[in-house]
Every structure is written in structure tokens, then in C-alpha cells.
Amino acid sequence: MVSIIAGSKSDSNIVEKAEKVLEEFSVPYETKYLSAHRTPDLLDEYIKNCEQKGTKVFIAIAGGAAHLPGVIASKTLKPVIGVPVKSNDLGGLDSLLSIVQMPNDIPVATVGIDRGKNAALLAIEILALSDESLSKKLKDYRSKLVGKYL
């Protein structure tokens, strides 16, 4: 249902945050490490395969120039959620601006820097629009937040 694509294995700590949430909600997912720049043909092939397998949402985790979410969005009509990665040079601002400033007509939803957890929750919200069971799990999750943070 959800495809997580990260541009580099160095992003695995953010990937793990997303995977953990998807597992908590029993949402099937697949994770791949593919680069928009270093493995463009493999990325293209993988996106086509995801379309055939029924992927409903993509989570794209990328740092630096962070072209990965936009490239994915240009190749699918499914929602793409971009997760900018904190960088040593600009603290992730470069990644954030690259993802959030997509050109008109090819949108990418964007969460905060290193917020893999929020990307997974947003993916679940999208899926819950057409899945009552998942919607109930999400409502239960949200109701528990009150006690957790107060």
C-alpha cells in the first residue's frame, strides 16, 4: 500500500521512523533505496512496478538537492509525501525548500525535516479516507495523544 523510497542508506534512521508507524497501524509497505540521480533507470522501473502492484501512497526521503520526491511525483498520479533530510551544510533547509517548492501541477506534500513519523501518519490519513478500519485506528491513536502530552 505504501512505498518508502530513500535516496541513500544514510537516511535509514528516518526510514525506520516511518516503518515503525506503518507497522503499528498494520499498513503494508515496502522500502527501497534508490537515487533520482545515481539510479534513475532503477527508480523509474520501480515506480512502474509499484503502480502495477497497487501502491497507493509514496513516501520519498531525500537530502541535499532532494529531487527524489519531485521525480517520483512526475512519474505517478499517486500522492507523494516528501521528507527533507537534515544536512550538515544547511541543516536541511536546502532539502526542505527543494521539496516544498515544486512547480505548479506536480504537487508533493511535505513534512518537516527528518519527520519520517509524520510522513507515515499522513500516508495513513490518506489511506484512511477509503478504509474505515484504518480510520478507527487513527482516531484511537489520536485520542491517546491527549494523555501522552498533557
Side-chain angles (χ1 to χ4, degrees), residues 118-140:
N118 278 354
L121 288 168
L122 181 54
I124 291 165
E125 289 177 354
I126 293 167
L127 296 171
L129 290 170
S130 60
D131 183 331
E132 190 58 40
S133 169
L134 197 52
S135 181
K136 182 182 179 333
K137 287 181 186 179
L138 195 54
K139 287 175 188 171
D140 292 345

Side-chain angles (χ1 to χ4, degrees), residues 36-111:
H37 302 116
R38 293 182 293 273
T39 60
D41 294 337
L42 292 175
L43 177 63
D44 191 43
E45 181 181 322
Y46 178 69
I47 294 166
K48 287 176 186 171
N49 287 337
C50 285
E51 294 280 328
Q52 293 170 354
K53 291 189 298 187
T55 295
K56 297 201 182 315
V57 181
F58 288 88
I59 295 174
I61 300 168
H67 291 146
L68 182 62
V71 170
I72 295 168
S74 75
K75 296 180 180 295
T76 184
L77 298 177
K78 307 295 186 199
V80 177
I81 303 166
V83 183
V85 175
K86 186 175 182 179
S87 61
N88 291 330
D89 297 329
L90 298 171
L93 188 58
D94 50 346
S95 308
L96 174 65
L97 293 175
S98 179
I99 296 170
V100 83
Q101 286 297 108
M102 285 297 298
N104 284 331
D105 305 317
I106 308 292
V108 171
T110 309
V111 296

